[in-house]
Amino acid sequence: GGTSSTSGGSSANTIKVGLVTDTGGLNDKGFNSLANQGLQKAKSELGIQADVTQSTKASDYVPNLTNFASRGYNLVIAVGFLMASAVGQVSQQYPNVKFALIDSTPADAKGNSVTRSNVTSLLFKEQEAGALVGILTGMLEKQGKTPKKSHIVGAVGGQKIPPVDHYIAGFQWGVAKEDPSAKVLVAYSDEFSDPTPCANKTDTQISQGADVVFQVAGGCGLGVLTEGGKKGIYTIGVDTDQSASDQSVIASAVKRVETATFDAIKSVKDGSFQSGTVLFDLKNDGVGFVKGNLPVPADIQTEIDSVTNQIKSGAVTVPDTVKP
Amino acid sequence: MSTEVRADRPAAPGGEAPYAIEMRHIRKAWPGVVANDDVNLTIRKGEIHALVGENGAGKSTLMNILYGLLKPDAGEILINGQHAHISGPRDAIVRGIGMVHQHFMLIPVFTVGENIVLGREPVENGDFYDRSEVDTRIRALSDEYGLHINPDARTGDLPVGLQQRVEILKVLYRGADILILDEPTGVLTPQETHDLFAVLRGLVRGGKTIIFITHKLKEVLEISDQVTVLRRGKVIGTVRTKDTNEEEIARMMVGREVLLRVDKAPAKPGAAALRVEHLTVNTEQGLPAVRDVSLELYAGEILGVAGVEGNGQSELVAALAGMLKPRSGRIWIGDRDVTEEGARHTRHAGLAHIPEDRRGAGLILSFSIAENTIFGHQRDAAFALRGMVLRLHEIYAWARRLIKQFDVRTPSEETPARALSGGNQQKVIVAREMATQPKVLLASQPTRGVDIGAIEFIHRRIVEQRDAGAAILLVSAELDEIRSLSDRIAVMYEGKIASIEPPDVPEERLGLLMTGGGGRQTHPAAS
Amino acid sequence: MAILSQLLQVLVSGDFWQLALRDGALLALPALGGVLSERSGVTNIAMEGMMLTGAFFSVVAALSFHNPWMAVIVAMLAGGAMALIHAFISIRFRADQIISGFAINIAAVGLTTFLNAKLSNFRGLQQVDPSGRLPTINVPLLDNIPFLGQVFFQQNIIVYVSLALLAIANLVLFRTRLGLRLRAVGEHPEAADTAGINVYRLRYGAVIMSGLLSGLAGAFLAIGIANIFNDNMTSGRGYIALAAMIFGKWTPWGAFVACMIFGVGDALAASTGVINVPQYFLQMVPYVLALVVLAGLVGRSTPPAADGIPYTPGGE
Amino acid sequence: MTASTAPARPESEAAATSPWVERLRRVGRALALPAGSVVLAFLIGAVLIALAGGDPLASYEALACGGFGISCFGGETPALQISNTIEFITPLLMAGLAVGVAFRAGLFNIGVQGQLILGAIFATIVGLRLASLPGVILIPLLMLAGVVGGALWAGIVGVLKAFTGAHEVVTTIMLNYVAYNLLNYLLINGPMQAPNSSQISLPVGQNAQLPTLIPQEGLFFGQPGGAYHASIGIFIALAAAGVYAFLMRRTALGYEIRAVGQSQRAARYAGISVRRTIIVTMLISGAFAGLTGGLMIAGGSLHYLYADLKFDTTGFDAIAVSLLGQNVAIGVVLSAILFGALHAGGLVMQSDVQISSHIVEILQAVILFSLAANFLRSLKLRLPSLGREPAKPDGMEAAQAALQAEVGSTAAAEGDGRA
Ligand SMILES: Nc1ncnc2c1ncn2[C@@H]1O[C@H](COP(=O)(O)OP(=O)(O)OP(=O)(O)O)[C@@H](O)[C@H]1O
Ligand SMILES: Nc1ncnc2c1ncn2[C@@H]1O[C@H](COP(=O)(O)OP(=O)(O)OP(=O)(O)O)[C@@H](O)[C@H]1O
Ligand SMILES: [Mg+2]
Ligand SMILES: [Mg+2]
């Protein structure tokens, strides 16, 4: 027998953490991958036992969560909005196991959000990160510093789900704030994996005049970045700093899933776990703006900083629903 | 018998001259069957050597070994006195062996020219297929051997006689010295057979050696110099043709006396069981095939349909069986108009059909014999409760009965039909179609490719059916079969009934009628 | 009416047709591979898997060599290796070719996903930098022709390769000795064998060709269009190519026409922002169109007579 | 009749004593090959796992634990693992039958995924609309709706094939994509999207959910009842396999389906309407597929429709299941169990021994290769011919030779008698 399979059980003070990916899998270059990075960091820094299961179908979610929960794992991490009701279900059956749900609150059978005393929801205010890249884009447009000076920009989402729409809503808001005349084209690829549809959507947006395109489609969205580069426009990355992906990336709207995951694990380890919702936003550095391959002019940087402060202070609130 | 032809040739090999072919101690086993068991065969140069035996005796297997298609389990082959290691047809071709296979090796969608040159294609500019060169070469070859054919015709569109010609041209094109012909006359008309024999004699005169497989003993006597008889994988013996006769060969083949003639009482025709009025039928491709045919078939008679293949017989039968919709005209079985009814209801009206294509239509080869014995009757009350649930017990009992009655040689009724020899496959069909005591029986080429033992058996059954009151339409390319079984003979030519003749009509007159009353049959591709 | 004029606006744009041709040419490669394989008598539903394998290894190679041509070669070899397995199992072992093809597709998903995780330590392989990408070639002078220039002469190099391969394959298949023999082997292997043609060699060759072409398509997808490898990124294109091959009645140009229908479909799907039809209905259009065309105009497609039937000399 | 007056031949007695032995032997032989292929595949898989740096034995222990609840060392609850496996088997089995029916008629139905989606859509609509009906009425209605949805979708394929000859591989693939887009339309800001969610519908109500095998309240084998999702859906699927077996082996329709699959020409000769049979077969195939969709909604762990169903691979895995099971009911059941167990086991294997669950896909492929290529038989065939000595006739051969001799002499006797 294997060493880990026989000894996994019960050495008293190592805590056991299981992570269940959604169907995107660990190689998704998006939140599954980031959550795993957080988990691996916790493993090496906190000495926990860290196990991962990849879901290949939506019908795997509940069995996978149950598998960890039934074996007395201390914390089960569910990655992704699509697992909301699965977590709602399993967390109720295993009140002694702690759950962390990334990007959503647990839901009941009807899809209504519920509170569970053993679940922490790691939510991100993606709209705040979206707003900052929107500010950058809007200012560039206003000042005529974009490749085509067209006052048309685009956003390509993976699927129409809240985390994606939050980003896009913030982006719309930021662009409109700086350049009210600018138009924001929005498209969804229905894909998080195959980059071609995203590249194609980008192509169309470019032919409609867009000269800055924001990708919000994970692995698919990398197609946005390279297509944009090929066609000589600016692009904006998502989730992590993607400036290395293509020369065209002028900034990235980031969301620190790895940090959130790590923190959640740490809270279980040191006993400070709290159920309910943990919000990651600009204020706690859970989301943010990262520069890319374009030097940001001082005036724009100033504006970004000031909006950041306004958001942090609560002076302005960024909307989280996409305007049609 | 053409004794003068035989006189042309040496009766024995010239002194030391090596044999063209020597096969020694050949053994080949299939799962469950030893197809060739220590077979020795010697063929002299320049002779026509007939190879005969019942279905499954191992003739094709032996020749496929010689041609390199099969590897023997044991044994050796000498060609012109030299040991030959033949590991594939290419080796055989190189050594001057050519083979016309029992089942045509022609690609229907290719042109005649493409089929003939395949494997040795003339090319130009590198690898481009040189069509004009192909045409020239084939015309030259055609002229040399008197085998005329249009190289640009699509092979699948040709009648079998011409396809046979393509097969022979293929072999000649490759310059073969030793020709193996596996049942070349099985599908030919007497006229075509006659033509073929003329060609073979010409080839032998030109120095070629021929191995000839057939089930027709008359042909053996007519064309060969030597006969080798195989039975169940073993050589029974080789005899000189001029020292033997049909009865002896038949006895060697079957191991007992065989009745070569059908004994039958005169017909006692009753009422019309099948009536056809002004029937016009097109082929599946929409070409006219049957033109305005009217006929009446009476209970208790056998009406033979003679004709060169491709003159509408197949389509006539298909239309009568409800498999092909007629363009116009009407068909009655008894008093029931079945013109529009389709195969299922035509069957219910009392028609049975032994199809010409037994492996493609008459049987499902992967089904067991039992399943095949209800083919077409799977919804009959006797075999299916309310036409839905199969009554397996009855079906097996039924199958066992037919197997016994019709002497089908099989290990069990659960054996797949594929595992049976051709003759036994045919028996399963005959058994099934006769067992329902049909009012009308369409028998299309009922003994094609079947050995003489089985032919005798099937002929007896057909006569028994007639005597039991069935109306039988017999379509056959065998004039002997037609003449010995029929009470009346209808000759089809170009889709029409050219004439209806009595059974003792002279063969010459039949031949004449079959070819349009005189001139040689022609096909547009044979030019 | 508004929709019609929007549609018209899309249909006259060079961007649209440029995209349609690119995606059509992408699909045409595996479809052509399928044509060759099935013409030789080996049923091939494994283009999906061979393409995915090609895509993966092209990225691996592009990342290590920074040279798209090396990557193309590696991708073709990878696709060819998968095809070799299919050929070996189908021809040597006379397997059910649908099972074997299907197994290739499953294996390709497992293999590439597994290796992707292994090689990238669960982060996914990196983006391919420009030095490793297949270039777009603007044909001098011709690319300036209005509309046509953009559609036909500003394309990725593989688009030109794909079109050239179609023409060459058509010529080889129908005008040369090799083609005649290949078709003979697919129609009636016994006839070919008895004519002294090596059935097995031709079949191996054709199946491996299908792997090389599918691998090339995978490389085009991964380092010509996407510049990245993501798990399962072929997302059914191999099956679409399979459909196109049958739709096109097992001829190179027929398959290409079918591929173009799907290429146009891809381009339409990308135009959702422009044409005011619910996105998902617009995306159905190519498939419904294909159904209608197939049912109405194309009708029955008959495969080569020996397609899918393993060959055993002498029926052994 | 001459033959009927001939004395009873000994081989008919031999045949009468042996059918059971023969049948057993045949079943044994039929099972030996797939079983051997699976074993061989696992051996090859072990090498692959070792190459990938894993421990084959530990991996297989985890696989067996996840699949069958045996050899569990990681604190798993065997009953729960079995429940999970059953949950995965159910749709695979059902969909495998759908593929199998079509294969029997010579049709390659790659469209089970699309048909299953239509079935799930129809089932969900009924489950939501008629939520107030009692379960005994609602559940059958929901299943029926699934059947109708699937049959409708597959029926298009059948009709096109029968009347225009349109190749089913093309039409099924096309209809899959149409179904995916339809699903997206309904669930993404569309008429079926649940009010407070996206990309999913509301779940069907309690009355529309299949009873689970283990009560949902209380503790069972140390786990809450609610953790066990295996439902009586498995019995529905098994019953469907029974129906399938009966249909194929015992009904005239099954006979006709098989005949059409083997030779359309022959079927026409026998008066079987090929068109009608093709359409009926596709309807049945679609019905099985649609029922799969119904089972996914009414059984399983999620009772709602979700857009990701288009990325679900059940309809494709079913092709492998059907092929591995050689399209016979018992084979499909066994291979669905194998594939379901492999899937469930793969999930546990990854968490237990850190071997990617994608190894399972490679394993599945190797099983298929090994089955299709029949490596085993090739090995066996090669053995006797090692020595140049020709093989001795085995029992069957000897029996057949005896039979032939016997028949020959009987026939000869007849001939003599007449002469
Ligand atoms: N491919 C095969 N597999 C198994 N058995 C075979 C195969 N080919 C031939 N046989 C068997 O070998 C024996 C000899 O067959 P063969 O074809 O040589 O007979 P034949 O003398 O040519 O008969 P026919 O006159 O019907 O053509 C038969 O019992 C046949 O069933
Ligand atoms: N040719 C056929 N091919 C396939 N299925 C058929 C065919 N004919 C009938 N069936 C099926 O079998 C069922 C029972 O057959 P039916 O009762 O129609 O037989 P019948 O009484 O002999 O024919 P009919 O009623 O047309 O005279 C039919 O309802 C139909 O479903
Ligand atoms: Mg023979
Ligand atoms: Mg009736």
Side-chain angles (χ1 to χ4, degrees), chain A residues 13-305:
Chain A
N13 43 11
T14 47
I15 68 157
K16 298 195 291 180
V17 179
L19 181 134
V20 179
T21 75
D22 77 356
T23 55
L26 285 175
N27 303 327
D28 72 342
K29 303 193 179 76
F31 53 40
N32 286 311
S33 175
L34 293 172
N36 185 45
Q37 286 166 31
L39 177 73
Q40 298 307 325
K41 184 171 167 227
K43 183 180 177 179
S44 58
E45 290 183 11
L46 307 177
I48 56 155
Q49 180 189 329
D51 292 326
V52 181
T53 304
Q54 301 186 71
S55 306
T56 55
K57 319 174 182 193
S59 52
D60 291 350
Y61 295 155
V62 172
N64 280 344
L65 294 170
T66 308
N67 262 344
F68 283 131
S70 71
R71 288 156 63 188
Y73 274 60
N74 306 73
L75 174 68
V76 180
I77 303 170
V79 187
F81 170 81
L82 295 169
M83 271 192 261
S85 78
V87 171
Q89 207 180 107
V90 180
S91 62
Q92 192 173 26
Q93 284 149 7
Y94 291 94
N96 298 328
V97 176
K98 298 183 175 63
F99 292 84
L101 172 57
I102 296 173
D103 269 354
S104 181
T105 50
D108 68 3
K110 294 219 176 297
N112 298 319
S113 161
V114 289
T115 46
R116 299 251 188 273
S117 59
N118 55 339
V119 180
T120 175
S121 300
L122 312 179
L123 297 184
F124 298 83
K125 287 198 163 173
E126 292 92 353
Q127 63 270 29
E128 296 183 355
L132 296 185
V133 294
I135 297 286
L136 168 69
T137 306
M139 294 230 9
L140 290 172
E141 285 289 350
K142 186 170 65 185
Q143 299 174 355
K145 287 183 180 155
T146 57
K148 295 200 264 181
K149 307 174 183 54
S150 58
H151 299 280
I152 301 175
V153 299
V156 175
Q159 290 180 334
K160 190 164 175 51
I161 49 176
V164 168
D165 272 358
H166 294 170
Y167 272 124
I168 297 177
F171 182 66
Q172 281 179 326
W173 177 87
V175 171
K177 181 167 161 46
E178 301 300 333
D179 182 6
S181 70
K183 190 171 155 193
V184 182
L185 307 168
V186 179
Y188 299 91
S189 64
D190 281 315
E191 263 287 341
F192 279 111
S193 177
D194 177 2
T196 316
C198 283
N200 291 355
K201 297 274 179 199
T202 309
D203 242 9
T204 304
Q205 292 189 340
I206 293 171
S207 69
Q208 285 173 279
D211 55 3
V212 182
V213 179
F214 178 29
Q215 84 102 335
V216 197
C220 171
L222 297 172
V224 171
L225 310 183
T226 49
E227 189 65 18
K230 211 152 62 179
K231 294 275 161 94
I233 62 152
Y234 290 161
T235 61
I236 298 169
V238 80
D239 290 345
T240 51
D241 178 1
Q242 297 188 314
S243 54
S245 284
D246 197 273
Q247 205 44 45
S248 66
V249 179
I250 57 168
S252 301
V254 302
K255 150 174 168 183
R256 304 209 158 85
V257 176
E258 68 282 26
T259 315
T261 310
F262 181 85
D263 290 353
I265 297 168
K266 194 154 174 283
S267 75
V268 174
K269 168 100 178 168
D270 61 24
S272 64
F273 177 88
Q274 282 191 331
S275 68
T277 297
V278 185
L279 261 183
F280 293 86
D281 55 12
L282 278 181
K283 204 159 35 177
N284 63 16
D285 204 24
V287 303
F289 170 93
V290 177
K291 279 186 235 175
N293 302 317
L294 184 79
V296 179
D299 55 336
I300 298 184
Q301 189 61 58
T302 315
E303 175 67 3
I304 291 175
D305 291 343

Side-chain angles (χ1 to χ4, degrees), chain B residues 32 353 371 379 388 390, chain D residues 250 252 255-256 258 269 400:
Chain B
H353 175 200
E371 286 175 311
R379 287 185 190 266
M388 283 153 63
L390 294 178
Chain D
R250 296 298 306 271
Y255 180 98
E256 289 170 353
R258 289 184 290 133
Y269 157 83
Q400 205 158 41

Side-chain angles (χ1 to χ4, degrees), chain B residues 344-345 348 379 387, chain D residues 256 271-273 276-277:
Chain B
R344 206 162 77 96
H345 294 284
H348 285 184
R379 287 185 190 266
Chain D
E256 289 170 353
I272 299 168
S273 161
R276 180 166 164 178
T277 308

Side-chain angles (χ1 to χ4, degrees), chain B residues 30-31 33 35 53-62 102 183 215 421 449, chain C residues 314-316:
Chain B
W30 295 111
V33 183
E54 294 185 277
N55 291 124
K59 307 178 294 290
S60 299
T61 302
L62 188 64
Q102 184 171 359
E183 285 194 51
H215 287 296
S421 74
Chain C
E316 197 159 4

Side-chain angles (χ1 to χ4, degrees), chain A residues 5 51 71 94 109 112 160, chain D residues 73 189 196 203 223 352 354:
Chain A
S5 61
D51 292 326
R71 288 156 63 188
Y94 291 94
N112 298 319
K160 190 164 175 51
Chain D
F73 302 113
N189 284 350
N196 296 321
Q223 304 295 337
D352 267 18
Q354 289 80 43

Side-chain angles (χ1 to χ4, degrees), chain B residues 343-407:
Chain B
R344 206 162 77 96
H345 294 284
T346 304
R347 223 169 249 285
H348 285 184
L351 177 133
H353 175 200
I354 300 170
E356 59 181 341
D357 177 8
R358 67 167 167 250
R359 292 164 68 88
L363 294 173
I364 300 280
L365 293 175
S366 63
F367 279 19
S368 69
I369 293 173
E371 286 175 311
N372 271 298
T373 57
I374 63 159
F375 196 42
H377 300 276
Q378 65 277 5
R379 287 185 190 266
D380 288 3
F383 304 126
L385 275 173
R386 296 172 200 280
M388 283 153 63
V389 180
L390 294 178
R391 305 165 68 176
L392 293 188
H393 203 72
E394 280 78 359
I395 293 172
Y396 281 114
W398 168 253
R400 279 193 298 271
R401 217 174 87 205
L402 294 193
I403 287 172
K404 199 164 153 195
Q405 268 182 22
F406 285 78
D407 189 27

